[in-house]
Amino acid sequence: MTTGGKLGQVDATIVPRFGGAPTFARLPRIDEVEAADVVVVGVPFDSGVSYRPGARFGPSHIRESSRLLRPYNPAQDVQPFALLQVADAGDIAANPFDIAEALMQIEEAAAVHLQAGSRLVVLGGDHTIALPLLRATAEVHGPLAVIHFDAHLDTWDTYFGADYTHGTPFRRAAEEGLLAPDSCMHLGIRGPLYSADDLTEDGDLGFQIAHATEMDSIGVAGMIERMLARVGDRPVYVSVDIDVLDPAFAPGTGTPEAGGFTSRELLAILRALSSTNLVGADIVEVAPAYDHAQITGIAAAHVVYELISSMAIQTQRLKAQEGSA
Ligand SMILES: N=C(N)NCCCC(=O)O
Ligand SMILES: [Zn+2]
Ligand SMILES: [Zn+2]
């Protein structure tokens, strides 16, 4: 169905939602469009996990769980797929037996879309994939203000001597100069740590923390205020580890921690990103083997929907500014 000159979702009044090709939100494949403003791509990779595996099946699960997403988003008053040409580019093949090669494959494949002028929303896969995605995105946009939703810091150094795992992407990114200084923030951090030094070392790497427990005192509004103040007008990369949600809202994940955000709280915070310079995002750690009735898959699909809606609002604002210039 075409709206606003954009090829949108399959029309659910013609092909029922429970049928048809399993692209994200029933959007066109990348080969069906001339060019895409936003590319949704999967990375079925989970060789970097430290506990429960299974996120390799995350991309297909999120796609299957996205079938109910409709054209109009009332929460942001936007038709994202009419404002942006969004397309599903399928999955990046990453070597499950060689993490170093997998990182190269992910970075190279992401670079093709980014250098063609598209923005990426990536369906993981475990959090290891954030590093190659940050490398490719920083190559085009420069040092990034990272907004990282997670129960975990993911700024640890090594596991069993390995530098590249799902617990280390943001330390490696900081070491490689991919992050804008004093512009990065974790939201949702909670649960036991290896040592209090984890927190001091994290601060030294340039991250501010909004702990999950602070939701009770500052609420969604306070979290949004701190997030927007932190990033300013820098290019923003959002990395959502689905385990930022409480296990009640995301049981299908590999390293669950009690006391997380509700899906309503997370979606509300993501909508505020429409006032930032959002240049890329990922949603990681969805492990369907531990999901029930698509609880986690649906939450992840709505995260992607709000991220794309925020990108659409941002585009609308920039076009209005250009029009009035
Ligand atoms: N789920 C992610 N991304 N990281 C979890 C790290 C867990 C640990 O170091 O114990
Ligand atoms: Zn996590
Ligand atoms: Zn993580």
Side-chain angles (χ1 to χ4, degrees):
M1 191 165 68
T2 301
T3 317
K6 306 286 191 263
L7 183 56
Q9 300 173 280
V10 170
D11 185 337
T13 64
I14 298 172
V15 180
R17 298 187 170 287
F18 43 82
T23 57
F24 181 78
R26 314 176 82 221
L27 287 161
R29 294 189 319 272
I30 192 78
D31 58 288
E32 294 176 306
V33 298
E34 282 293 307
D37 300 307
V38 175
V39 168
V40 176
V41 67
V43 180
F45 175 88
D46 65 10
S47 305
V49 301
S50 60
Y51 191 60
R52 301 192 313 204
R56 62 183 62 182
F57 296 105
S60 54
H61 189 61
I62 296 169
R63 289 188 174 104
E64 276 304 328
S65 305
S66 70
R67 287 178 175 277
L68 267 180
L69 293 174
R70 300 177 186 82
Y72 173 60
N73 181 352
Q76 297 205 52
D77 187 20
V78 67
Q79 286 188 298
F81 311 131
L83 276 175
L84 297 172
Q85 181 58 69
V86 184
D88 189 325
D91 290 339
I92 296 170
N95 186 333
F97 303 108
D98 182 331
I99 292 181
E101 183 182 356
L103 297 186
M104 266 182 349
Q105 291 167 314
I106 297 164
E107 183 179 348
E108 283 168 11
V112 169
H113 296 296
L114 289 162
Q115 284 162 17
S118 303
R119 279 181 282 185
L120 278 177
V121 180
V122 181
L123 312 178
D126 77 48
H127 225 151
T128 314
I129 72 171
L131 178 60
L133 295 173
L134 287 167
R135 285 172 176 169
T137 309
E139 186 62 32
V140 173
H141 295 283
L144 300 162
V146 170
I147 295 295
H148 171 218
F149 294 91
D150 206 320
H152 309 101
L153 295 169
D154 291 349
T155 52
W156 286 293
D157 190 8
T158 62
Y159 287 68
F160 292 84
D163 294 331
Y164 304 106
T165 74
H166 75 159
T168 63
F170 300 108
R171 180 181 289 247
R172 298 289 90 82
E175 290 167 348
E176 295 178 17
L178 307 178
L179 309 182
D182 299 324
S183 312
C184 299
M185 182 173 180
H186 307 292
L187 293 96
I189 299 298
R190 66 186 188 276
L193 295 171
Y194 295 99
S195 147
D197 295 345
D198 295 352
L199 295 168
T200 41
E201 288 181 24
D202 186 76
D204 294 343
L205 290 164
F207 280 86
Q208 200 180 74
I209 300 177
H211 295 272
T213 49
E214 293 182 85
M215 182 62 83
D216 301 324
S217 51
I218 66 174
V220 164
M223 293 269 179
I224 288 173
E225 189 182 339
R226 286 179 58 184
M227 176 179 76
L228 297 181
R230 187 68 174 164
V231 300
D233 59 0
R234 297 173 190 84
V236 173
Y237 184 93
V238 175
S239 188
V240 180
D241 182 325
I242 202 66
D243 70 29
V244 69
L245 295 178
D246 186 273
F249 296 88
T253 194
T255 46
E257 310 279 356
F261 287 174
T262 68
S263 39
R264 185 168 65 244
E265 289 164 345
L266 175 61
L267 296 176
I269 297 170
L270 291 174
R271 292 183 191 118
L273 290 163
S274 60
S275 65
T276 70
N277 177 17
L278 181 55
V279 296
D282 62 51
I283 170 76
V284 295
E285 299 287 344
V286 172
Y290 305 99
D291 205 1
H292 309 291
Q294 295 182 330
I295 297 170
T296 313
I298 290 164
H302 280 254
V303 164
V304 176
Y305 187 63
E306 293 298 347
L307 286 167
I308 294 174
S309 296
S310 292
M311 289 176 173
I313 296 270
Q314 178 195 355
T315 301
Q316 199 173 44
R317 182 176 66 248
L318 290 174
K319 283 183 177 168
Q321 286 167 357
E322 284 162 10
S324 58

